Amino acid sequence: MNGSGNSNNCSGNSGIIMESNSNTSVNDEYYIRKHHHRRHEEELMENQCTSLLIKHIRAPLPLVWSLVRRFDQPQKYKPFISRCVAQGNLEIGSLREVDVKSGLPATTSTERLELLDDNEHILRIRIVGGDHRLRNYSSIISLHPEIIDGRTGTLVIESFVVDIPEGNTKDETCYFVEALIKCNLKSLADVSERLAVQDRTESIDHV
């Protein structure tokens, strides 16, 4: 709302940190320890849930970041967004009005840009309104360089905090949000890797 994104379903191979079946490497754990506590740590209230997911993308960090940082154009890779209208310049406090595609229990979302760090490649947003049940939702996504099979790649870490809606359990809420994020991360990987292949092909053509 790990792996290279080759799965045909939205969940792909994203891993939830601390799950017993999570395929986290030593490199993953280093970035999680280094950045989770500094950037992804949220003060959790009793009626909230949180989780953290990772994704390995076979594309250079600058390319992936060029998609992620576009607070004004999340539909470039987020499959559930049909339209986005951003207000003002791309700066802290900017708002965007997002229209959600049919099939989800939501129609619109108003979101605020909390942090955009082009040096450390970190984006943080907070949902402040809209027709949905994700109250007090905030998320942080950070990108980190890595090498995948001898090529430059990107490790993506995304975490969230959200209120547990009345009538739902913590597990139900986390499962729903995690499913949305997994779809977003898989789509981000698909788009980024396709663009990376195009870049490599064009470079060869110009040799």
Side-chain angles (χ1 to χ4, degrees), residues 3-4 6 56-58 146-153:
S4 59
N6 293 325
H56 298 276
I57 299 180
R58 297 173 183 271
E146 66 174 354
I147 301 298
I148 304 176
D149 295 335
R151 292 188 180 273
T152 56

Side-chain angles (χ1 to χ4, degrees), residues 70-187:
R70 292 304 300 266
F71 176 77
D72 57 334
Q73 295 185 23
Q75 67 271 29
K76 280 182 172 289
Y77 74 91
K78 292 189 175 184
F80 299 116
I81 294 179
S82 60
R83 179 173 175 267
C84 174
V85 177
Q87 304 173 11
N89 297 322
L90 193 64
E91 57 188 10
I92 305 305
S94 295
L95 296 177
R96 68 185 182 193
E97 300 289 339
V98 170
D99 291 341
V100 181
K101 290 182 180 179
S102 61
L104 290 176
T107 57
T108 62
S109 179
T110 303
E111 302 169 0
R112 183 174 64 223
L113 179 61
E114 302 272 289
L115 175 66
L116 178 62
D117 190 328
D118 283 316
N119 293 319
E120 295 197 28
H121 308 105
I122 301 170
L123 175 74
R124 176 172 180 164
I125 68 164
R126 183 176 299 275
I127 294 180
V128 295
D131 177 26
H132 54 76
R133 302 188 70 196
L134 298 180
R135 303 305 175 195
N136 292 317
Y137 177 93
S138 66
S139 70
I140 302 175
I141 183 169
S142 62
L143 277 55
H144 314 276
E146 66 174 354
I147 301 298
I148 304 176
D149 295 335
R151 292 188 180 273
T152 56
T154 305
L155 169 66
V156 181
I157 305 175
E158 182 164 0
S159 66
F160 70 88
V161 171
V162 67
D163 288 0
I164 302 172
E166 185 175 351
N168 290 101
T169 67
K170 176 180 177 180
D171 287 344
E172 289 170 342
T173 304
C174 270
Y175 181 84
F176 173 73
V177 179
E178 286 165 359
L180 292 179
I181 292 178
K182 287 177 183 179
C183 282
N184 289 338
L185 293 179
K186 181 184 183 299
S187 179

